[in-house]
Amino acid sequence: MRLKDDNKKDAIFEATIQLINEVGYENVSMSKIGRKAGVSPSTIYVYFENKEDMLKKVYLESKMKFAWGMIRGIRNEDSVRQVAFQLVKNVLDYVQENESYFLFTEQFADSPLMRDLDMSEINKIFGPIYEIVERSQKEGILKQLPPELLFAFGYYPVTQFAKGKLRLDVSFSQMDIESLQQMFWDAIKV
Amino acid sequence: MRLKDDNKKDAIFEATIQLINEVGYENVSMSKIGRKAGVSPSTIYVYFENKEDMLKKVYLESKMKFAWGMIRGIRNEDSVRQVAFQLVKNVLDYVQENESYFLFTEQFADSPLMRDLDMSEINKIFGPIYEIVERSQKEGILKQLPPELLFAFGYYPVTQFAKGKLRLDVSFSQMDIESLQQMFWDAIKV
Amino acid sequence: MRLKDDNKKDAIFEATIQLINEVGYENVSMSKIGRKAGVSPSTIYVYFENKEDMLKKVYLESKMKFAWGMIRGIRNEDSVRQVAFQLVKNVLDYVQENESYFLFTEQFADSPLMRDLDMSEINKIFGPIYEIVERSQKEGILKQLPPELLFAFGYYPVTQFAKGKLRLDVSFSQMDIESLQQMFWDAIKV
Amino acid sequence: MRLKDDNKKDAIFEATIQLINEVGYENVSMSKIGRKAGVSPSTIYVYFENKEDMLKKVYLESKMKFAWGMIRGIRNEDSVRQVAFQLVKNVLDYVQENESYFLFTEQFADSPLMRDLDMSEINKIFGPIYEIVERSQKEGILKQLPPELLFAFGYYPVTQFAKGKLRLDVSFSQMDIESLQQMFWDAIKV
DNA sequence: AATGAATGAGAATTCATTCAT
DNA sequence: GATGAATGAATTCTCATTCAT
């Protein structure tokens, strides 16, 4: 009996992400993924129930990776201003270092396929940040608004800006980073 | 010889948008679109070169509609603060009044299909706004940053927030609107 | 616009029956049927919903043909003995003249696929026979048993006997026919 | 080295029959059979050459079982009338007590898969019956016809009748049994 | 212009069988 | 002997597009 080979699963993950970024979801077939991953298309069905199951799992893993990237280096005792600046920096770093993972998730963000996924595991990762926000709101440093609204200004403009740069194949300047950090901070601080 | 019938073209546009929102892009076929539009699938090829051509045209038209919605009621003589507030309001109004058009464009925003589209016609619509921004930067009211960066804070957080609400099928409160307006303004003003 | 071509439908019917007799149900694929019928496999889907739908329709049509063959030449004023003899003769004639249709239906008689088919249309064809049976039972000529039980002795031994002969590729002698008729009659008469 | 395990072989037999009755031949795969039998699909290949070989062996074994069931309790010194009545009774009893075996064989009776099987072993079981028939024909009790023709009236109407009852999930009444016995007897006796 | 029939190409998936342990 | 992983070959079915009218 052969043992299940984790390399194969990883190769399928990687091939899926690369291919979808290269040719778009609508042009990705199981046999193309298999070919790129170096396995038979039917082997994919040893590791996943079907195409949808596979895509969802790749998506969740990518999101999880992103979440860990976002909170990297943030400590509970940091000032909320520091945290805000760090978040923006982390997002930009992650996007740049994990371009293909990032673009893959963006392409599925609005797909009906990814509705109703259980994101609770991922959201838990942001627990510490929520605590800092709450504390800072009590201290009167942050606007008294739902945290989601505050996050929105640190996440969406940053990722969309980054996406534009990736498409043009240019990297971010130090000034870009500082501008985004400052604007985020101005948006959420009292 | 009958003339090409604009009603039919419109029916095809509308059917495409509705269908894609209902069942997702991957489940939309030319014959389903034809059926919903009340025409034969082959009739679609009288009006469009092929499926891709059609989707691109529907996408561009939707984006155009959105652009007009965004600058609605904005006049050159308005203060930039007024303009900023109006933009946020316009986005939210448009999204709410044109849900299916909006969701359709969002679903394709990151699709490789829509890469390399000529958006210059659409960008022209924002000409007056660019002028106001430039003027305000000279007057020292707005941060001295690329306009795209400024816009990013008035567009992405707002649309993503709106999308979340649409998914939950709830509308925006007056406080939601004011919060988004104020945060946008705080982010871009000096 | 091309018109639907009844020849194509017939060709598909015929090809299905021939193929299933030649290689068995488990080895018949839509593409083999298409090839034999001289059409593309996808053309079959213009005429039928799917494989199951097609098989059911071919089955029902074959059964209908058989039913008409069974009552051929039987008139209400015939004596029940005459009718019984005629039925046996008709079955044998039909089987011999429509070997492929007959063998096709036999192969599906016990298939789960053909459960729950609406046979009412077909059963109606036997209405006149039922009347004769009823009449004869009142007259004390036939055994007082459910008609299905009576029919069973005129149908199953005859078809199964015929099937055996077909397999050996021999035809029925006059004596075979007369024996089956007499045995049927002895079984059901009082 | 372990020995081939008859329990496993039996489990595979049983699983095959149950599964085919439950979901139909077209939906039965080697791995489903393995799962139901509690063995790996590849284990089946230890006991059988391939799927076809396995099905044929299961079929032959089932037929053998049926044959033994049919001659149960019949002794050479019984009168032929007794024998005829007993045969009908035996068939009905067997069908009722071994529903899944019986339905399994019926489903394959006309399948090309089961053509060209060597049934001589099974036919030998009926030797004693043939002797009784021959004797009775000499004594002028039975019609002077090929035994197969005589058997046909004791076997096919009975099994088909029984199958109809099984489908409706009802059992046979004493009157059903007696009717079938009497009709069989009337059909074959002089 | 309009259309329903027709189809080649390709999709996801299944499966009997073999492989490696 | 026993097994789960692996796969080539095949299956059903869909679909964008073209054809013939």
Side-chain angles (χ1 to χ4, degrees):
Chain A
M1 184 193 81
R2 267 178 256 174
L3 285 172
K4 250 187 200 175
D5 183 348
D6 254 6
N7 293 337
K8 280 208 174 109
K9 194 169 186 173
D10 286 350
I12 294 166
F13 262 70
E14 208 62 40
T16 303
I17 291 171
Q18 301 307 333
L19 258 181
I20 284 186
N21 280 323
E22 283 166 26
V23 301
Y25 171 57
E26 46 265 275
N27 296 309
V28 165
S29 68
M30 295 302 258
S31 61
K32 281 180 191 160
I33 291 172
R35 193 149 50 247
K36 183 147 197 151
V39 301
S40 164
S42 41
T43 301
I44 304 176
Y45 291 85
V46 174
Y47 294 88
F48 304 96
E49 273 180 53
N50 50 38
K51 195 183 187 185
E52 185 171 338
D53 176 53
M54 188 195 67
L55 286 171
K56 283 178 174 171
K57 281 180 178 149
V58 180
Y59 183 76
L60 278 175
E61 176 140 320
S62 299
K63 279 295 209 183
M64 184 78 86
K65 231 167 116 82
F66 197 172
W68 282 114
M70 279 185 67
I71 64 158
R72 191 170 45 179
I74 292 177
R75 283 154 315 161
N76 201 271
E77 60 270 29
D78 293 336
S79 78
V80 66
R81 188 178 181 280
Q82 266 181 299
V83 170
F85 274 60
Q86 189 66 48
L87 274 175
V88 169
K89 182 71 166 50
N90 280 348
V91 167
L92 289 169
D93 284 350
Y94 179 87
V95 166
Q96 205 149 39
E97 289 161 20
N98 303 275
E99 183 172 333
S100 56
Y101 282 73
F102 168 68
L103 289 177
F104 169 80
T105 55
E106 286 291 298
Q107 199 169 143
F108 279 100
D110 289 292
S111 159
L113 255 179
M114 301 306 171
R115 289 262 204 298
D116 313 319
L117 281 185
D118 178 11
M119 306 289 279
S120 60
E121 208 61 35
I122 290 171
N123 286 332
K124 259 187 232 158
I125 297 169
F126 296 110
I129 309 286
Y130 276 89
E131 280 172 35
I132 297 174
V133 168
E134 215 176 321
R135 201 180 62 208
S136 311
Q137 288 182 322
K138 280 198 192 118
E139 293 171 7
I141 307 175
L142 288 187
K143 293 194 171 107
Q144 298 288 348
L145 294 169
E148 291 76 15
L149 217 44
L150 304 179
F151 284 144
F153 283 79
Y155 182 85
Y156 296 117
V158 178
T159 52
Q160 300 307 312
F161 168 82
K163 203 153 59 182
K165 292 286 181 184
L166 286 184
R167 278 196 194 131
L168 302 170
D169 211 17
V170 299
S171 58
F172 330 126
S173 69
Q174 183 57 28
M175 220 200 74
D176 289 334
I177 300 170
E178 285 168 16
S179 307
L180 287 163
Q181 289 172 321
Q182 189 61 49
M183 290 173 90
F184 175 34
W185 179 242
D186 289 344
I188 61 174
K189 75 162 202 278
V190 165
Chain B
M1 193 190 75
R2 269 168 277 169
L3 287 171
K4 279 191 192 179
D5 181 348
D6 252 7
N7 289 339
K8 284 208 170 114
K9 194 169 186 171
D10 284 351
I12 293 166
F13 263 68
E14 205 64 37
T16 303
I17 291 170
Q18 300 308 333
L19 258 182
I20 286 185
N21 279 320
E22 281 166 26
V23 302
Y25 173 63
E26 48 262 70
N27 296 312
V28 165
S29 67
M30 294 300 260
S31 54
K32 279 181 194 158
I33 291 171
R35 193 149 52 247
K36 183 146 193 150
V39 302
S40 164
S42 38
T43 302
I44 303 176
Y45 290 83
V46 174
Y47 296 92
F48 303 95
E49 273 178 53
N50 52 37
K51 195 184 185 185
E52 187 172 337
D53 176 54
M54 188 195 69
L55 283 172
K56 284 179 174 170
K57 283 182 177 146
V58 178
Y59 184 74
L60 278 175
E61 174 138 323
S62 298
K63 278 295 210 183
M64 183 78 84
K65 227 168 121 79
F66 196 173
W68 283 115
M70 279 185 66
I71 63 159
R72 190 170 47 178
I74 292 178
R75 283 152 314 158
N76 202 272
E77 60 269 31
D78 291 337
S79 78
V80 66
R81 190 179 180 281
Q82 267 183 300
V83 170
F85 274 59
Q86 188 66 47
L87 275 173
V88 170
K89 183 70 167 51
N90 281 348
V91 167
L92 290 171
D93 284 350
Y94 178 87
V95 166
Q96 204 151 38
E97 289 161 20
N98 304 274
E99 183 171 335
S100 58
Y101 281 74
F102 169 68
L103 289 176
F104 170 80
T105 55
E106 286 292 297
Q107 197 169 146
F108 280 99
D110 289 291
S111 161
L113 249 181
M114 301 306 173
R115 290 261 207 300
D116 314 319
L117 282 184
D118 178 12
M119 306 291 279
S120 59
E121 206 63 34
I122 290 170
N123 286 332
K124 260 187 233 157
I125 297 169
F126 296 109
I129 309 285
Y130 275 89
E131 281 173 34
I132 297 173
V133 168
E134 217 175 319
R135 199 180 65 208
S136 311
Q137 287 182 322
K138 278 195 191 117
E139 292 172 7
I141 306 175
L142 288 188
K143 294 195 169 108
Q144 299 286 348
L145 294 168
E148 290 76 17
L149 217 45
L150 303 179
F151 284 145
F153 283 79
Y155 182 83
Y156 297 116
V158 179
T159 52
Q160 300 306 314
F161 169 82
K163 204 153 56 181
K165 292 287 183 183
L166 285 185
R167 278 198 196 129
L168 301 172
D169 211 17
V170 298
S171 56
F172 328 127
S173 69
Q174 183 57 27
M175 221 200 73
D176 290 333
I177 301 171
E178 285 168 16
S179 306
L180 287 163
Q181 288 172 323
Q182 188 60 49
M183 291 172 90
F184 175 35
W185 180 242
D186 289 345
I188 63 175
K189 76 160 201 279
V190 165
Chain C
M1 185 194 80
R2 268 179 257 172
L3 286 171
K4 249 187 200 174
D5 184 348
D6 253 6
N7 292 337
K8 282 207 172 109
K9 195 169 187 173
D10 286 350
I12 294 167
F13 262 69
E14 207 63 39
T16 303
I17 290 172
Q18 301 307 332
L19 260 181
I20 286 187
N21 280 323
E22 283 166 26
V23 301
Y25 170 57
E26 45 265 76
N27 295 310
V28 165
S29 68
M30 295 303 260
S31 60
K32 280 179 194 161
I33 291 171
R35 192 148 52 247
K36 182 145 197 150
V39 301
S40 164
S42 40
T43 301
I44 304 176
Y45 291 86
V46 173
Y47 294 88
F48 304 96
E49 273 179 52
N50 50 38
K51 195 184 186 184
E52 185 172 337
D53 176 53
M54 188 194 69
L55 286 171
K56 284 179 173 171
K57 281 179 177 149
V58 179
Y59 183 75
L60 277 175
E61 176 139 321
S62 299
K63 278 294 209 184
M64 184 78 85
K65 230 168 118 80
F66 197 173
W68 283 115
M70 279 185 66
I71 63 158
R72 192 171 45 180
I74 291 177
R75 284 155 313 160
N76 202 271
E77 61 270 30
D78 291 336
S79 77
V80 65
R81 189 178 181 280
Q82 266 181 302
V83 170
F85 275 59
Q86 188 66 48
L87 275 173
V88 170
K89 182 70 167 51
N90 281 348
V91 167
L92 289 169
D93 284 349
Y94 179 87
V95 167
Q96 204 149 37
E97 288 161 23
N98 303 276
E99 183 174 331
S100 57
Y101 281 73
F102 168 68
L103 289 177
F104 169 79
T105 55
E106 285 292 296
Q107 199 168 147
F108 279 101
D110 289 292
S111 160
L113 253 179
M114 301 307 171
R115 290 263 204 297
D116 313 318
L117 281 184
D118 179 10
M119 305 290 279
S120 59
E121 207 63 35
I122 290 171
N123 287 332
K124 260 188 231 156
I125 297 170
F126 297 110
I129 309 286
Y130 276 88
E131 280 171 37
I132 296 173
V133 168
E134 214 175 322
R135 201 180 62 208
S136 311
Q137 288 182 321
K138 278 194 195 124
E139 295 172 6
I141 306 174
L142 288 187
K143 293 195 170 105
Q144 299 287 349
L145 295 168
E148 290 77 15
L149 216 46
L150 304 180
F151 286 144
F153 283 79
Y155 182 84
Y156 297 117
V158 178
T159 52
Q160 300 306 313
F161 169 82
K163 203 152 61 181
K165 292 287 181 181
L166 287 182
R167 279 199 194 128
L168 301 171
D169 211 18
V170 297
S171 57
F172 330 125
S173 68
Q174 183 56 28
M175 219 201 73
D176 289 333
I177 301 171
E178 285 168 17
S179 307
L180 287 162
Q181 288 173 323
Q182 188 61 49
M183 292 172 90
F184 176 33
W185 178 242
D186 289 344
I188 63 174
K189 75 162 202 277
V190 165
Chain D
M1 192 190 74
R2 270 169 277 169
L3 288 171
K4 281 190 193 180
D5 181 347
D6 253 7
N7 290 339
K8 283 205 173 119
K9 194 169 185 173
D10 285 350
I12 293 167
F13 262 68
E14 205 64 39
T16 303
I17 291 171
Q18 300 307 333
L19 258 181
I20 286 187
N21 279 320
E22 281 166 26
V23 302
Y25 173 61
E26 47 262 70
N27 296 311
V28 165
S29 67
M30 294 301 259
S31 54
K32 279 181 194 160
I33 291 171
R35 192 148 52 248
K36 182 144 195 151
V39 303
S40 163
S42 38
T43 302
I44 302 176
Y45 290 84
V46 173
Y47 296 90
F48 303 95
E49 274 179 51
N50 51 37
K51 195 184 186 184
E52 187 172 337
D53 176 54
M54 188 196 68
L55 283 172
K56 284 178 174 171
K57 284 183 176 146
V58 179
Y59 183 74
L60 278 175
E61 175 137 324
S62 299
K63 279 294 210 183
M64 184 79 84
K65 229 168 119 79
F66 197 172
W68 282 115
M70 278 184 67
I71 63 159
R72 190 171 44 179
I74 292 177
R75 283 154 313 161
N76 202 271
E77 60 270 29
D78 291 335
S79 78
V80 66
R81 188 177 182 280
Q82 265 182 302
V83 170
F85 274 58
Q86 188 66 47
L87 275 173
V88 170
K89 184 67 170 47
N90 280 348
V91 167
L92 290 170
D93 283 350
Y94 179 86
V95 166
Q96 204 151 39
E97 287 161 23
N98 303 276
E99 183 172 335
S100 57
Y101 281 74
F102 169 67
L103 290 176
F104 169 79
T105 55
E106 286 291 297
Q107 198 168 145
F108 280 99
D110 290 290
S111 161
L113 249 180
M114 300 307 172
R115 289 261 207 299
D116 313 318
L117 282 184
D118 178 11
M119 306 290 279
S120 58
E121 207 63 35
I122 289 170
N123 286 332
K124 259 187 234 158
I125 296 169
F126 296 109
I129 309 286
Y130 276 89
E131 280 171 35
I132 296 173
V133 168
E134 216 175 319
R135 200 181 62 208
S136 310
Q137 288 182 321
K138 279 196 192 122
E139 295 172 6
I141 307 175
L142 287 188
K143 292 192 171 112
Q144 298 287 348
L145 294 168
E148 290 76 16
L149 217 45
L150 303 180
F151 284 145
F153 283 79
Y155 182 84
Y156 298 116
V158 178
T159 51
Q160 300 305 314
F161 168 82
K163 203 153 56 182
K165 292 287 180 181
L166 285 184
R167 277 196 197 130
L168 302 170
D169 211 17
V170 297
S171 55
F172 330 126
S173 68
Q174 183 57 28
M175 220 199 74
D176 290 332
I177 301 170
E178 286 168 16
S179 306
L180 288 163
Q181 288 172 323
Q182 187 62 49
M183 291 172 91
F184 175 36
W185 179 242
D186 289 344
I188 63 176
K189 76 161 200 279
V190 165

